[in-house]
Amino acid sequence: MKALVIRGGVPVGSRRSRRLPAPGAPRDAFHPNRRNTVEITFTDRELDVMSVLWDLGSASVAEVRDRLADDLAYTTVLTILRTLEEKGYAGHTEAGKAYRYHPLVERQDAGTSVLRRLTRKLFKNSPELLLTHLVSDRGLGDDELRRMQKLLEERLRERGEG
């Protein structure tokens, strides 16, 4: 039996301890810019499964399995979904005898968290180094570079610096 550790009245490992929104909470209940949010991390397999949930909105284990590039066993996909539930990243509803799983974190919020971690770990916590790496990529076309430039110019205008 797993021991339950409680800190500040909140069970460690519970959704509340990770500051994620409860199912059905308003969209702004989880905001990546707030200091009280925790880093969202996925294994490669978890990210594959979450991508299916984000694309479909909700799915059964079989539907997730059918959408994955790798041929995983049903029980493997079920285990991944249960792990995502334990982490507070996915939830489920009963649909007859089966469960339908749905994401509890938005793709954008997860992307923001992953990008922050990447910036911190690989680019010495410097968004400038990350951007330099992105624009130095020889695979970017002129149109992509212009769109990036336009986004930067818009951001500067928003801040009143442009």
Side-chain angles (χ1 to χ4, degrees):
M1 184 172 182
K2 193 174 179 181
L4 180 64
V5 179
I6 298 179
R7 285 191 198 130
V10 177
V12 172
S14 74
R15 180 179 296 114
R16 285 181 51 213
S17 73
R18 283 189 288 282
R19 309 258 191 241
L20 295 175
R27 171 71 182 91
D28 64 351
F30 179 80
H31 192 278
N33 294 327
R34 291 190 188 147
R35 291 179 194 258
N36 64 353
T37 59
V38 77
E39 198 170 79
I40 300 171
T41 58
F42 299 111
T43 65
D44 287 343
R45 292 272 191 230
E46 289 170 349
L47 187 55
D48 292 342
V49 169
M50 285 300 295
S51 291
V52 172
L53 295 180
W54 286 320
D55 289 345
L56 297 180
S58 74
S60 66
V61 176
E63 290 168 336
V64 171
R65 184 174 179 261
D66 289 344
R67 291 274 187 131
L68 294 173
D70 296 329
D71 187 25
L72 301 178
Y74 180 95
T75 54
T76 301
V77 176
L78 178 59
T79 299
I80 294 167
L81 285 162
R82 287 180 176 165
T83 300
L84 289 167
E85 273 194 300
E86 287 173 15
K87 290 181 173 183
Y89 301 151
H92 73 265
T93 55
E94 290 187 34
K97 292 183 179 182
Y99 285 161
R100 293 201 63 81
Y101 292 86
H102 55 274
L104 294 178
V105 295
E106 298 290 330
R107 185 187 303 248
Q108 171 103 17
D109 296 333
T112 298
S113 181
V114 169
L115 188 57
R116 280 197 182 127
R117 183 169 188 241
L118 182 73
T119 302
R120 189 176 64 253
K121 300 273 186 183
L122 294 178
F123 297 100
K124 301 177 185 175
N125 209 26
S126 171
E128 185 177 352
L129 285 177
L130 172 63
L131 182 61
T132 300
H133 183 78
L134 286 173
V135 298
S136 297
D137 183 351
R138 301 204 190 282
L140 291 176
D142 290 345
D143 288 343
E144 290 171 306
L145 289 170
R146 279 192 205 89
R147 283 193 299 271
M148 291 173 115
Q149 179 181 17
K150 183 179 175 187
L151 289 170
L152 288 169
E153 289 169 353
E154 287 173 4
R155 181 73 173 135
L156 284 170
R157 273 195 299 279
E158 287 173 7
R159 297 179 76 179
E161 297 178 15

